[in-house]
Amino acid sequence: MLKPSTMKSICIPLIAATVWLCSCAEKKTETPVAETPAPAAVETPEVKDLPDSVKMQNWQAYMTPGDMHAMMASWDGKWVDSMTMWMAPGAPPEMHVTNSEIKSLMGGRYSTATHRGNMMGMDFEGLSTMAWDNQRKVFINTWIDNFGTGISVLEGPWDEATKTINLKGKMVDPSYGDGRMTDYRQVITLIDDKTQKFEMFSMGADGKEFKNMEIVSRRK
């Protein structure tokens, strides 16, 4: 058994150490800690409900074909497409002739075009759809063909002054083999009732845009 004097010699240093640790803890607690400011609250726009009658009117306006749909319907028919392609900036052009047929769908709300011909020694087949969104006020175009397995989607406005549809979107660049996407755009110019010009601009290896396709379509 420890003697009282020995206990005293042990306890006093322990008590002193405990007091010192507690005082340090208190001082540490008293030091203000900078708090990370809470992120600003994101205000959600108030969505006001509309009367059912107004909702129905809006829906009716959305589904009713208008002037842009009438313009698309005027393209119905068979066309001969004279195509010029450039595989890279400054590359010699490749010339092809294909045939297309445009038809209206669903009461004139959409337009579809089938394309057939021979390109680079292979049978070519493509299918496009065109829509005019009454509420968003943009054309939306989709494209598929037998030279790929994906779907490209583009959209853009109508320019009344230049009679052009200006579409932008992304497509897979299959030459890399890793599914990477590249930006491209299309300009469709309505020259007259029997003539249209299609231009496509893609990104070259240097990251700069170049014109890689032009198609002049003439109604049969």
Side-chain angles (χ1 to χ4, degrees), residues 100-148:
S100 59
E101 184 174 6
I102 302 177
K103 295 180 179 180
S104 296
L105 294 176
M106 301 184 184
R109 291 173 176 82
Y110 306 96
S111 179
T112 183
T114 55
H115 302 260
R116 291 183 174 85
N118 187 281
M119 293 175 56
M120 297 177 286
M122 296 181 287
D123 289 336
F124 171 76
E125 184 177 1
L127 175 66
S128 68
T129 59
M130 184 75 82
W132 169 261
D133 189 308
N134 277 340
Q135 289 193 353
R136 296 180 59 220
K137 308 300 182 187
V138 294
F139 277 99
I140 304 168
N141 176 262
T142 67
W143 173 261
I144 57 175
D145 59 44
N146 65 328
F147 281 13

Side-chain angles (χ1 to χ4, degrees), residues 34 46 63 148 178:
E46 183 181 356
M63 68 180 287
D178 57 7

Side-chain angles (χ1 to χ4, degrees), residues 1-218:
M1 181 178 293
L2 295 175
K3 296 179 181 180
S5 57
T6 305
M7 289 286 293
K8 187 175 181 181
S9 64
I10 294 174
C11 290
I12 289 174
L14 284 174
I15 294 170
T18 303
V19 171
W20 180 79
L21 287 172
C22 290
S23 65
C24 289
E26 289 175 0
K27 288 179 182 178
K28 204 169 185 180
T29 304
E30 290 171 358
T31 305
V33 178
E35 296 182 358
T36 304
V42 178
E43 294 186 5
T44 303
E46 183 181 356
V47 180
K48 295 182 178 179
D49 199 13
L50 297 173
D52 289 344
S53 58
V54 175
K55 291 180 179 180
M56 290 303 297
Q57 289 174 7
N58 291 338
W59 199 307
Q60 187 70 32
Y62 183 61
M63 68 180 287
T64 302
D67 293 341
M68 294 293 101
H69 301 93
M71 180 176 72
M72 289 193 297
S74 72
W75 307 338
D76 285 7
K78 296 182 178 182
W79 300 72
V80 176
D81 309 314
S82 300
M83 180 187 303
T84 305
M85 297 176 60
W86 297 268
M87 301 307 293
E94 296 183 13
M95 313 294 290
H96 304 280
V97 176
T98 60
N99 293 278
S100 59
E101 184 174 6
I102 302 177
K103 295 180 179 180
S104 296
L105 294 176
M106 301 184 184
R109 291 173 176 82
Y110 306 96
S111 179
T112 183
T114 55
H115 302 260
R116 291 183 174 85
N118 187 281
M119 293 175 56
M120 297 177 286
M122 296 181 287
D123 289 336
F124 171 76
E125 184 177 1
L127 175 66
S128 68
T129 59
M130 184 75 82
W132 169 261
D133 189 308
N134 277 340
Q135 289 193 353
R136 296 180 59 220
K137 308 300 182 187
V138 294
F139 277 99
I140 304 168
N141 176 262
T142 67
W143 173 261
I144 57 175
D145 59 44
N146 65 328
F147 281 13
T149 52
I151 300 176
S152 64
V153 181
L154 306 95
E155 62 178 55
W158 162 253
D159 188 327
E160 178 65 30
T162 59
K163 303 295 182 183
T164 58
I165 301 172
N166 298 279
L167 303 167
K168 291 184 179 181
K170 290 181 178 291
M171 65 177 176
V172 171
D173 187 338
S175 61
Y176 289 98
D178 57 7
R180 72 181 62 183
M181 305 293 285
T182 182
D183 295 320
Y184 77 117
R185 66 184 181 94
Q186 298 175 355
V187 180
I188 301 172
T189 304
L190 307 184
I191 298 173
D192 54 43
D193 292 342
K194 296 183 179 180
T195 314
Q196 297 184 10
K197 183 171 69 172
F198 168 94
E199 298 169 280
M200 187 165 83
F201 301 84
S202 301
M203 290 295 174
D206 57 359
K208 296 180 180 179
E209 182 184 80
F210 76 103
K211 182 175 178 178
N212 70 321
M213 185 181 296
E214 178 178 304
I215 303 173
V216 177
S217 299
R218 294 179 175 85

